[in-house]
Amino acid sequence: MMRGLSFRSLAFLFLIAFLVWSASFETCNARRGRHWRHGRSSNSVSLSKKNNKGNSHRKGGHPNYHNGKPKPKPKPKAPSHNKSPPLAPAVPTKPVHDVPPPSHHSSVFNVKDFGAKGNGVSDDTKAFEAAWAAACKVEASIMMVPEESVFLVGPISFSGPYCQANIIFQLDGTIIAPTGSKDWGKGLLWWLDFTKLKGITIQGKGIIDGRGSVWWQDYPYDDPIDDESKLIIPLHNNTLPDKPPTPIRSELSGKMPSIKPTALRFYGSFNVTVTGITIQNSPQCHLKFDNCIGVVVHDVSVSSPGDSPNTDGIHLQNSKDVLIHTSNLACGDDCVSIQTGCSNVYVHNVNCGPGHGISIGSLGKDNTKACVSNITIRDVMMHNTMNGVRIKTWQGGSGSVQGVLFSNIQVSEVQLPIVIDQFYCDKSSCKNQTSAVALSGITYERVKGTYTVKPVHFACSDSLPCVDVTLSVIELKPVQERYHMYDPYCWQAFGESTTPTQPPIACLQTGKPPSNRPQSSPDACF
């Protein structure tokens, strides 16, 4: 009895002790659990702020377990590439009018930042010189001529050869030339001159205005004239005045120099581009390339009156690999003039008129040697021009013109659509000479439209006839059918007509000149 009581008493005491010990253990675990959940909750809030994800995957705010253990804390995601890491606070940008002239580390050089006023009255030449000097030092820099401003700029040279490559002259405003005689001294050949540069580009929607009327009104009556005018105006016509009417001259400008400047010239440069701009009212030639390689001109407008003297649109000399397209050229002389030393020239999709057409030459003046080759003129529209497509050379010259294609030329009210003139003379008379520039491989195809004087004029050298002249799909009609026009004219021209022509050009001699006649210049180019 005592043994049983003793055993039950011991068991009861043992149970009480066990219960007391268990209660103490659960209390410790409960405290530990509260501490863990508090820490876990804090971490979750922190992560939710970083990752915008919160704890929506949990129920009742309890931690998730995996195999009886809490999941490890998720690692924060790497920052997105679309979000930049925190940066130092940005420095506020000053208004444009408060910005000092850019340092040489900048790539954009606005002429107004260098003191240009742009009011059309103040002389901005020095500001343009300073902006160029800064842009010249930085490769692929931009010299900015801003829109809605008119800049009066005197004769200026934007020159290398120590300038960096690929400079852009961004022309969105208007540049005007001075009209006072004192600004030009005894006369200059160029107004805006770009020399010895690589990768130079002039682009924008701006205007270069030469304000040439003050020069044209001083045009001497005995200055050189286009010789083809002799074919148009009969010499016995005594209705012409002996002298032109005296122009009304500005009292402020005075008499301008006899040497007239070209508005925009590039010399000795590589990879030149001119696009988008308008060049108007140049005193003489509008746009000239001399000794350049790799020229592209497109979407350019040239504009001056049809009676403005010697105002060629685009003049090429000693230049190679030239592309001119998608441009409107209206002037008082040749829309495009291709001179000696030019090769690989391609002109297409150009509107020409008024003007004197598109010409190769004049070549060989003063017994000089001229070399021109691989010229293509195609997809051109001409309206109200003196000539259409023309080759003109002087007696006494040497060298050659070869490999010329005139294709798809549309003429409207053009006086002389097709011309070869090897007796060119811009004076009242010239001395007869034996030597000549040799012409060969000249092709005319799909030349169509209307003329007012003569459809074809081939006047080739007696001693060196034109050879390999090809005519194909020539359709030229007089503007007024009921009036007699001049018939096609040929002299010493040899070649073939591959299709019937309108009108018939029977004067073109088939084949080659007689074997005893020279067919190439002794001083040939190639």
Side-chain angles (χ1 to χ4, degrees):
M1 179 85 177
M2 287 297 295
R3 182 179 300 174
L5 180 60
S6 177
F7 177 80
R8 282 198 294 268
S9 298
L10 289 174
F12 179 76
L13 291 174
F14 181 80
L15 179 60
I16 291 174
F18 178 81
L19 292 175
V20 172
W21 177 80
S22 296
S24 176
F25 181 80
E26 288 294 328
T27 301
C28 291
N29 272 342
R31 289 174 182 168
R32 180 182 176 189
R34 282 196 298 269
H35 292 166
W36 185 86
R37 281 194 295 270
H38 177 74
R40 178 71 172 181
S41 177
S42 299
N43 288 338
S44 298
V45 172
S46 176
L47 287 174
S48 68
K49 290 180 181 178
K50 292 182 181 179
N51 299 321
N52 296 321
K53 289 189 177 180
N55 298 323
S56 59
H57 60 285
R58 301 185 189 130
K59 295 182 180 180
H62 295 289
N64 289 330
Y65 288 87
H66 179 67
N67 293 333
K69 296 181 181 179
K71 283 186 177 180
K73 297 181 183 180
K75 296 181 180 179
K77 291 184 178 180
S80 169
H81 292 292
N82 296 326
K83 297 180 181 180
S84 301
L87 299 175
V91 179
T93 304
K94 294 182 180 180
V96 172
H97 59 270
D98 290 333
V99 176
S103 70
H104 67 277
H105 297 293
S106 176
S107 61
V108 178
F109 301 88
N110 191 320
V111 294
K112 285 194 170 182
D113 293 336
F114 291 83
K117 303 300 181 183
N119 57 19
V121 178
S122 302
D123 187 349
D124 290 326
T125 307
K126 291 189 180 300
F128 272 63
E129 289 174 341
W132 176 259
C136 171
K137 300 174 184 177
V138 181
E139 184 175 358
S141 61
I142 299 173
M143 179 171 167
M144 177 72 69
V145 181
E147 60 184 344
E148 299 182 357
S149 297
V150 179
F151 301 92
L152 175 63
V153 177
I156 186 172
S157 178
F158 304 98
S159 61
Y162 303 109
C163 287
Q164 297 296 314
N166 303 322
I167 297 174
I168 295 175
F169 191 99
Q170 183 69 36
L171 175 59
D172 292 319
T174 297
I175 301 175
I176 60 174
T179 56
S181 58
K182 62 181 178 58
D183 295 298
W184 300 95
K186 295 182 179 181
L188 296 171
L189 294 175
W190 308 287
W191 171 31
L192 307 176
D193 191 26
F194 289 79
T195 303
K196 297 181 180 179
L197 299 166
K198 294 181 179 179
I200 179 68
T201 296
I202 294 185
Q203 65 181 28
K205 56 185 178 181
I207 298 172
I208 294 174
D209 189 348
R211 301 205 284 181
S213 60
V214 295
W215 300 82
W216 309 330
Q217 67 187 11
D218 289 330
Y219 178 66
Y221 192 54
D222 59 350
D223 257 17
I225 60 172
D226 195 311
D227 189 50
E228 262 58 72
S229 62
K230 298 174 185 177
L231 304 175
I232 298 165
I233 304 174
L235 296 179
H236 64 269
N237 186 347
N238 54 17
T239 61
L240 293 175
D242 293 334
K243 293 183 179 181
T246 303
I248 299 175
R249 181 179 297 117
S250 168
E251 295 295 331
L252 297 177
S253 67
K255 184 175 177 63
M256 301 302 284
S258 59
I259 300 174
K260 301 175 181 64
T262 288
L264 176 60
R265 183 188 82 140
F266 294 86
Y267 175 80
S269 296
F270 296 87
N271 297 333
V272 180
T273 300
V274 180
T275 178
I277 67 171
T278 295
I279 310 172
Q280 64 189 31
N281 300 322
S282 177
Q284 198 164 3
C285 179
H286 287 78
L287 175 59
K288 179 180 287 188
F289 298 92
D290 190 358
N291 276 284
C292 293
I293 298 177
V295 173
V296 177
V297 178
H298 66 93
D299 296 285
V300 164
S301 177
V302 167
S303 177
S304 64
D307 59 355
S308 56
N310 297 322
T311 53
D312 289 31
I314 300 175
H315 182 97
L316 305 176
Q317 183 172 327
N318 295 312
S319 294
K320 301 177 181 179
D321 304 328
V322 178
L323 173 62
I324 301 170
H325 69 92
T326 324
S327 294
N328 296 311
L329 309 175
C331 56
D333 210 309
D334 294 327
C335 292
V336 179
S337 172
I338 302 170
Q339 301 293 323
T340 184
C342 291
S343 62
N344 300 333
V345 176
Y346 184 24
V347 179
H348 71 92
N349 293 99
V350 166
N351 295 322
C352 170
H356 293 188
I358 293 179
S359 296
I360 298 174
S362 62
L363 305 173
K365 186 176 182 179
D366 298 327
N367 305 107
T368 56
K369 179 179 179 179
C371 299
V372 175
S373 64
N374 194 19
I375 310 296
T376 299
I377 313 293
R378 71 185 313 150
D379 303 327
V380 172
M381 297 188 66
M382 299 186 180
H383 177 70
N384 192 26
T385 58
M386 177 185 290
N387 306 287
V389 288
R390 172 173 61 162
I391 301 174
K392 49 182 178 176
T393 70
W394 291 73
Q395 295 183 77
S398 62
S400 66
V401 175
Q402 58 181 325
V404 178
L405 171 63
F406 299 110
S407 176
N408 194 27
I409 310 298
Q410 303 291 324
V411 296
S412 173
E413 300 182 33
V414 171
Q415 294 170 353
L416 302 164
I418 297 175
V419 176
I420 293 178
D421 184 3
Q422 292 205 271
F423 300 90
Y424 187 81
C425 175
D426 62 5
K427 298 177 285 187
S428 58
S429 65
C430 293
K431 182 176 68 173
N432 287 329
Q433 299 184 62
T434 303
S435 63
V437 178
L439 305 186
S440 63
I442 316 298
T443 300
Y444 302 87
E445 64 180 26
R446 298 195 304 279
V447 182
K448 303 179 181 181
T450 59
Y451 65 94
T452 61
V453 177
K454 186 189 297 185
V456 175
H457 181 85
F458 290 150
C460 298
S461 169
D462 289 299
S463 59
L464 205 61
C466 303
V467 297
D468 297 328
V469 176
T470 303
L471 304 177
S472 175
V473 193
I474 307 300
E475 299 176 7
L476 297 171
K477 299 178 181 180
V479 171
Q480 297 177 325
E481 298 266 6
R482 58 183 175 175
Y483 292 106
H484 174 72
M485 299 290 176
Y486 290 99
D487 294 326
Y489 173 83
C490 306
W491 180 259
Q492 298 298 338
F494 292 81
E496 64 173 340
S497 295
T498 60
T499 65
T501 63
Q502 183 182 2
I505 308 174
C507 60
L508 178 65
Q509 300 182 62
T510 304
K512 302 283 186 179
S515 58
N516 62 338
R517 301 286 295 278
Q519 297 184 28
S520 63
S521 169
D523 191 17
C525 299
F526 309 99

